[in-house]
Amino acid sequence: MNSKSKHWDGVFLNNSDSKLGWYEKNASQTFKLLDLIPHYKDATIFLPGAGTSVLIDALLSIGAKLVLNDISNEALDRVKIRLGEIQRDIIWLHQDIASPIENLNEKVDIWIDRAVLHFLTDKDDICGYFENVKSALKIGGYIIFAEFTHSGTKKCAGLPIHHYSLDDLSNNLGPSFTLKSHFDYTYHTPSGNPRLYIYALYKRES
Ligand SMILES: C[S@@+](CC[C@H](N)C(=O)[O-])C[C@H]1O[C@@H](n2cnc3c(N)ncnc32)[C@H](O)[C@@H]1O
């Protein structure tokens, strides 16, 4: 956890939000899938690597309850300052999402991963991540992924990437999840480089 945390703290310390290679002005791509989930505005939503994403503010503004995790305290602290008073209602977790989730007392309705899973390159870490999905997400709950596809970049934030196809995501989730929707999306970094993402929405059926 320490070397990973230090790496990510350094990334956030050395870059303003709008310079980050995954910065979005708005979370419209994620909302294309969120809008397919019934009653998502009343949901408890878990972000496994929240970073400093504007998705956080957008979800709070629609009244969702949030559990925000990140391996970087620097990122979490930046969001706490940005949100001011309203950050009181959030559950904050600071852990490696490949390790069993601690301090989460209730299961969540929705898990949203934009650009977190693809940084786990070790097989055991990937298994640990999907164990967490299964222990934290309610039956009937939903999961949204936005990950680099196989034709995507080999490195991001100075780290190697594990790429995902739709089949890879489905195989890791197993038969208790059904695919509800998906699309490819080319994101452009602040410096103009294209990054190919696969977006996918699954429902946990059992
Ligand atoms: C590329 S950024 C994406 C942030 C955010 N999801 C977004 O879309 O803006 C990856 C985020 O995941 C966090 N992260 C990386 N590895 C992690 C891990 N193993 N456990 C938890 N968080 C992690 C990083 O600190 C960073 O905030």
Side-chain angles (χ1 to χ4, degrees), residues 111 117 126-127 129-134 137 141-145 164-180 200-206:
W111 175 297
L117 170 63
I126 295 170
C127 281
Y129 176 99
F130 283 96
E131 285 305 314
N132 278 334
V133 169
K134 285 161 200 164
L137 188 65
Y142 291 82
I143 181 161
I144 291 174
F145 292 107
Y164 284 88
S165 65
L166 212 48
D167 281 350
D168 298 329
L169 293 170
S170 301
N171 290 339
N172 276 297
L173 286 171
S176 53
F177 287 77
T178 53
L179 178 64
K180 294 292 175 191
L201 168 69
Y202 290 84
K203 182 176 183 190
R204 182 174 187 184
E205 306 287 359
S206 60

Side-chain angles (χ1 to χ4, degrees), residues 9-43:
D9 281 344
V11 168
F12 285 103
L13 272 170
N14 292 323
N15 294 284
S16 61
D17 286 351
S18 62
K19 293 278 185 289
L20 295 167
W22 49 91
Y23 172 73
E24 298 182 294
K25 282 198 184 119
N26 63 63
S28 56
Q29 300 307 316
T30 301
F31 272 90
K32 281 186 192 168
L33 294 177
L34 257 179
D35 282 335
L36 303 177
I37 302 175
H39 311 299
Y40 72 85
K41 294 180 184 173
D42 303 321

Side-chain angles (χ1 to χ4, degrees), residues 8 12 22 48-51 53 70-71 95-97 114-115 119-120:
W8 282 103
F12 285 103
W22 49 91
S53 173
D70 206 284
I71 204 163
Q95 73 150 78
D96 185 339
I97 198 57
R114 176 173 178 269
F119 287 107
L120 302 179

Side-chain angles (χ1 to χ4, degrees), residues 36-195:
L36 303 177
I37 302 175
H39 311 299
Y40 72 85
K41 294 180 184 173
D42 303 321
T44 300
I45 301 180
F46 181 77
L47 304 190
T52 55
S53 173
V54 292
L55 176 63
I56 299 165
D57 313 58
L59 292 173
L60 285 173
S61 73
I62 57 168
K65 294 174 276 306
L66 297 188
V67 182
L68 301 185
N69 179 64
D70 206 284
I71 204 163
S72 166
N73 251 336
E74 189 58 38
L76 295 177
D77 285 347
R78 202 186 283 183
V79 176
K80 285 175 186 168
I81 291 167
R82 183 172 89 207
L83 297 179
E85 271 298 286
I86 46 172
Q87 59 112 341
R88 278 177 312 164
D89 300 326
I90 296 173
I91 297 173
W92 300 92
L93 303 178
H94 171 228
Q95 73 150 78
D96 185 339
I97 198 57
S99 306
I101 300 176
E102 292 168 11
N103 305 322
L104 186 62
N105 298 327
E106 284 179 30
K107 293 195 183 233
V108 299
D109 303 296
I110 302 172
W111 175 297
I112 304 177
D113 181 321
R114 176 173 178 269
V116 187
L117 170 63
H118 62 213
F119 287 107
L120 302 179
T121 51
D122 180 88
K123 203 172 164 212
D124 289 343
D125 284 350
I126 295 170
C127 281
Y129 176 99
F130 283 96
E131 285 305 314
N132 278 334
V133 169
K134 285 161 200 164
S135 69
L137 188 65
K138 285 179 189 165
I139 292 171
Y142 291 82
I143 181 161
I144 291 174
F145 292 107
E147 314 299 336
F148 286 138
T149 61
H150 284 285
S151 46
T153 183
K154 295 198 169 25
K155 274 197 156 190
C156 180
L159 296 173
I161 294 297
H162 184 93
H163 298 95
Y164 284 88
S165 65
L166 212 48
D167 281 350
D168 298 329
L169 293 170
S170 301
N171 290 339
N172 276 297
L173 286 171
S176 53
F177 287 77
T178 53
L179 178 64
K180 294 292 175 191
S181 186
H182 65 95
F183 59 88
D184 295 325
Y185 175 66
T186 304
Y187 163 82
H188 287 89
T189 66
S191 51
N193 294 316
R195 296 279 183 263

